[in-house]
Structures are given as structure tokens and as C-alpha cells.
């Protein structure tokens, strides 16, 4: 299976933005949802996941934050690289510059042409530790979800084949986009102007609720501590209306999480490979389209399926009441998207914590 083990350069879909200078920690701490100060306190390189928000608490851009410099603790000159979807790179640079004052000692530069980003799938935590020992690269487990493997940052000339066993981790181009859908991880333009909790960003270790104030923090914190989440982003297997329903969904009707199964990526991949749905049926599905259940709007398309290659998994923003409260895959699974009908089978990725069906939040936090 192409999502089992392999490696892939993903630089073509990413923008890499360097931030350096004595004020870079404070500057990022005030704008990014992860705790930049905590990362900066450790002199070693590191990787975190975060999100930039507007003043209204809406997503501007999810981002990885690489701390690249081997700084000693006395140094004030920290160096960071933001790793964002290329579709949002220019907009993010504009956003950063809009908050940079003339006397702010931080340098912002697009370094995409000089750096590269790679993913190694099927790699273990131990492999990530080994990657840290190679001086020419920085490598860490993807902080959002371990199924995405080890993420590697290096110079544009980096050839991973010089550092890994290619017979164990063969070239696997296109796998990142498949795994991103299977794991339920919208990105880029799919996320803009959405609420971060409805995109599951707090489940992806992308929001630190203990760090204090940053742009967009107030609404996000209030929703997390007091509100009820009525919508979430769910990965969904799309089938033809007449196709056989996999047993995982039939069996889930009697289980705790509202009638949807909890699945790991390899199992979803098996169902995807077994699907007989024609690729051409996915061509018309695009980000932002409404998902209709009968005549009622049930949600929106975030991440469309990949028609090329027959990847019939999409990420849809769906109302919790339609998915995790007594969902019946036979009665409730037929939806209309872009004027075509599909059987939509949402599932809970196995990296999610247990979800409180009343609050839409992780069970422990939902009871607070």
C-alpha cells in the first residue's frame, strides 16, 4: 500500500518563511497559537504545529513552526521557519508584515527556493530521534498526527535517498495528500475563515490554551472552555448510493460514538482500495460546496477527494448532531454534493481522543 512506508518531497506545495532577530520570539508569541516562548527556551531545534488567527478568531493559516538555530541560552537571536501551504504563503507574509513595526527587530523572508520539506511515512519515533543526530537536516514526528510520519526540513539540495534505506522507504509521490485526507487534516485554502476548533486544530496539538494572549485567542479560549462545538471536520469515505456498505459502519451502529466507527489509516486505505465508485464522479466536488441531507444543509466540503487516482476520501465539515448522535449508515448516509448523490460514510480517526457527544469536545475536557 502506498501509505505504508515511503518518502516524498512536498516542497512544491509548501511555502517556507524565515523569521529571525532578537524580537522574533515575542513577535511570533503574539500571533501564533502554539507556545513559541517555550520552544525558544530549549536551545535545540524543534518542531511545533500552530495556527494564525484573525482578530475575530478565524483561521488565516495553519502552520508548522521549525526552530532551526542551535542557540545557546544566552543568545537573543533566535531563528525560525514557518512551513505553510503554498496557497497561503503570500497572504501570511502580508499578515506578518502588517504587525511588524519599523523598530521591530525581526527579519521576515521567503526562503522557499533555498529549503525543502520532506515526509517519511511509516517511520517510528525512534527514527525521528535518529534524524535529530544528522547535522544537515531537522527531523521530527509530525506533531499533528503520527500517521503522517517524520517531517524533515533541509536545504533545497537535500536528497533523502542519501540518508535512508530506499528499499525500506521507497519514493512514494502523492502519499502526503492521500494520508492527509485519510487522517482528516484540512489545510491551506480549505481552512481559511473557519473556526479553529471546528477544524480539530486543538486535537492536532496546534493550540496551547495555557500560553496567554495572542491574536484571536479570546474567542478560541471562550469556545474551548464554555461553548458547545456543533460542527467538526470529519474524514468521510464516499461511495455510490448502491455500493455495499463496509461492515465497520454497520457494526458501529451499536457502539458508543454515535454510530460511526473509529478507524486507523490502513483500514481506511483498504476500504478505499476496495471501492468500485468511478473516479469521474468526484470531478465536480470542490472545496466550499454544500453537503445536503435531503433538502437540509448538513455541512460543507473542506478537502475534496482526489479524482485522479481514485482517492474517494474527503474531509467534510459536518454538524455533530448529524454524525455522532445515532448515525445510521443506511438511513442517514445518502447526501448530495454538487448535484450528485453519494453514500457518505464519516468516521472518527483513531488519533482523536474520545469525544463527548453532548459538548463535541474531548470527554475529559467536556466534563469540566
Amino acid at each position: 500500500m502506498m501509505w505504508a512506508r515511503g518518502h516524498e518531497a512536498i516542497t512544491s506545495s509548501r511555502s517556507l518563511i524565515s523569521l529571525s532577530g532578537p524580537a522574533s520570539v515575542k513577535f511570533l508569541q503574539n500571533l501564533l497559537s502554539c507556545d513559541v516562548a517555550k520552544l525558544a527556551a530549549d536551545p535545540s531545534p524543534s518542531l511545533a504545529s500552530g495556527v494564525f488567527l484573525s482578530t475575530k478568531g478565524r483561521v488565516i493559516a495553519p502552520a508548522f513552526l521549525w526552530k532551526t538555530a542551535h542557540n545557546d541560552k544566552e543568545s537573543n537571536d533566535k531563528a525560525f521557519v514557518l512551513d505553510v501551504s503554498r496557497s497561503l504563503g503570500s497572504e501570511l507574509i502580508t499578515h506578518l508584515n502588517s504587525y511588524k513595526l519599523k523598530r521591530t527587530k525581526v527579519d521576515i523572508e521567503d526562503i522557499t527556493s533555498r529549503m525543502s520539506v520532506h515526509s517519511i511515512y511509516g517511520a517510528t519515533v525512534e527514527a525521528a530521534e535518529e534524524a535529530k543526530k544528522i547535522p544537515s537536516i531537522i527531523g521530527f514526528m509530525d506533531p499533528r498526527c503520527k500517521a503522517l510520519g517524520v517531517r524533515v526540513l533541509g536545504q533545497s539540495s537535500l536528497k533523502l535517498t542519501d540518508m535512508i534505506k530506499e528499499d525500506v522507504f521507497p519514493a512514494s509521490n502523492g502519499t502526503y495528500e492521500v494520508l492527509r485526507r485519510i487522517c482528516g487534516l484540512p489545510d491551506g485554502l480549505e481552512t481559511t475563515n473557519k473556526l479553529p476548533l471546528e477544524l480539530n486544530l486543538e486535537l492536532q496539538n496546534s493550540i496551547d490554551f495555557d500560553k496567554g494572549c495572542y491574536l484571536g485567542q479570546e474567542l478560541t479560549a471562550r469556545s474551548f472552555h464554555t461553548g458547545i462545538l456543533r460542527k467538526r471536520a470529519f474524514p468521510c469515505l464516499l461511495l455510490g448510493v448502491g455500493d455495499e456498505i463496509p461492515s465497520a459502519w454497520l457494526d458501529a451502529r451499536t457502539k458508543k460514538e454515535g454510530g460511526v466507527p473509529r478507524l486507523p489509516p490502513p483500514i481506511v486505505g483498504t476500504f478505499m482500495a476496495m471501492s468500485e465508485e468511478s473516479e469521474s464522479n468526484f470531478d465536480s466536488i470542490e472545496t466550499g460546496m454544500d453537503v445536503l441531507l435531503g433538502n437540509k444543509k448538513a455541512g460543507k466540503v473542506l478537502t475534496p477527494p482526489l479524482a485522479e487516482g481514485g482517492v474517494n476520501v474527503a474531509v467534510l465539515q459536518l454538524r455533530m448532531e448529524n454524525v455522532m448522535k445515532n448515525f445510521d449508515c443506511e438511513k442517514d448516509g445518502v447526501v448530495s454534493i454538487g448535484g450528485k448523490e453519494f453514500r457518505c460514510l464519516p468516521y472518527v480517526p483513531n488519533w482523536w481522543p474520545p469525544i463527548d457527544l453532548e459538548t463535541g469536545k474531548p470527554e475529559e475536557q467536556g466534563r469540566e
Side-chain angles (χ1 to χ4, degrees):
M1 293 185 298
M2 61 181 172
W3 47 82
R5 278 189 171 184
H7 76 275
E8 177 183 5
I10 57 175
T11 315
S12 61
S13 64
R14 311 299 295 174
S15 284
L16 300 170
I17 304 165
S18 168
L19 288 93
S20 60
S24 57
V25 174
K26 183 178 180 181
F27 182 76
L28 283 168
Q29 182 77 341
N30 290 332
L31 295 176
L32 193 56
S33 63
C34 58
D35 195 335
V36 183
K38 186 184 293 183
L39 263 66
D42 187 335
S44 302
S46 54
L47 174 63
S49 175
V51 61
F52 290 92
L53 302 174
S54 69
T55 54
K56 296 181 179 180
R58 298 276 176 169
V59 170
I60 292 174
F64 292 97
L65 179 66
W66 297 89
K67 186 164 75 67
T68 60
H70 292 260
N71 300 303
D72 58 54
K73 292 184 178 180
E74 286 75 32
S75 172
N76 290 321
D77 193 9
K78 308 296 183 183
F80 299 92
V81 173
L82 291 169
D83 171 358
V84 301
S85 169
R86 186 161 293 191
S87 62
L88 299 177
S90 296
E91 182 179 349
L92 181 56
I93 289 176
T94 300
H95 174 71
L96 294 171
N97 281 321
S98 71
Y99 285 91
K100 179 187 173 185
L101 303 177
K102 286 185 178 180
R103 290 181 291 179
T104 304
K105 294 182 179 180
V106 58
D107 296 317
I108 302 169
E109 182 184 4
D110 188 332
I111 59 169
T112 307
S113 63
R114 306 202 304 267
M115 304 293 288
S116 61
V117 185
H118 307 254
S119 285
I120 306 175
Y121 313 111
T124 62
V125 174
E126 290 74 17
E129 291 299 317
E130 288 297 314
K132 295 177 185 178
K133 300 175 184 178
I134 304 174
S136 60
I137 67 171
I138 307 174
F140 289 89
M141 292 299 296
D142 192 305
R144 303 168 301 170
C145 173
K146 290 181 180 179
L148 272 292
V150 175
R151 199 173 186 93
V152 175
L153 179 71
Q155 297 296 318
S156 59
S157 59
L158 174 65
K159 294 183 179 179
L160 274 186
T161 51
D162 296 337
M163 303 178 184
I164 63 174
K165 296 180 179 178
E166 198 166 12
D167 57 332
V168 179
F169 298 100
S172 188
N173 296 333
T175 298
Y176 181 79
E177 287 299 321
V178 177
L179 276 174
R180 188 168 73 78
R181 285 162 170 78
I182 288 176
C183 294
L185 300 172
D187 197 9
L189 292 171
E190 303 158 4
T191 67
T192 55
N193 207 34
K194 304 290 191 302
L195 294 173
L197 303 188
E198 293 180 353
L199 297 174
N200 311 321
L201 289 176
E202 90 283 19
L203 305 183
Q204 299 171 33
N205 303 310
S206 295
I207 302 175
D208 191 318
F209 290 99
D210 298 321
K211 65 166 279 185
C213 294
Y214 59 91
L215 191 66
Q217 177 263 349
E218 184 177 355
L219 177 61
T220 305
R222 190 188 319 133
S223 299
F224 178 75
H225 291 295
T226 64
I228 294 176
L229 286 180
R230 304 190 186 280
K231 293 180 284 186
R232 277 200 181 272
F234 286 89
C236 301
L237 184 70
L238 298 179
L239 302 175
V241 174
D243 288 350
E244 183 178 353
I245 301 173
S247 59
W249 279 267
L250 297 171
D251 296 342
R253 290 180 292 186
T254 61
K255 294 183 179 178
K256 181 180 180 182
E257 286 181 304
V260 294
R262 176 175 288 268
L263 301 173
I267 297 299
V268 179
T270 300
F271 291 141
M272 188 176 72
M274 293 170 60
S275 171
E276 297 179 356
E277 179 67 0
S278 170
E279 296 176 17
S280 62
N281 284 341
F282 304 135
D283 290 345
S284 60
I285 300 179
E286 298 178 356
T287 296
M289 283 185 169
D290 289 337
V291 179
L292 302 178
L293 184 60
N295 294 321
K296 184 179 178 182
K297 181 178 174 181
K300 277 190 175 292
V301 176
L302 296 176
T303 311
L306 292 171
E308 185 178 348
V311 179
N312 58 324
V313 175
V315 184
L316 309 181
Q317 186 183 60
L318 300 173
R319 296 187 65 83
M320 295 287 292
E321 63 184 356
N322 292 335
V323 179
M324 297 192 73
K325 288 190 175 182
N326 303 313
F327 177 78
D328 188 315
C329 57
E330 292 182 304
K331 297 178 182 177
D332 306 321
V334 177
V335 300
S336 176
I337 305 173
K340 295 182 179 179
E341 286 193 334
F342 301 92
R343 185 169 297 281
C344 176
L345 299 177
Y347 60 92
V348 174
N350 70 332
W351 59 268
W352 281 23
I355 299 297
D356 187 314
L357 301 187
E358 298 303 318
T359 66
K361 301 174 185 177
E363 280 190 349
E364 292 301 318
Q365 187 245 325
R367 287 195 287 267
E368 291 178 358

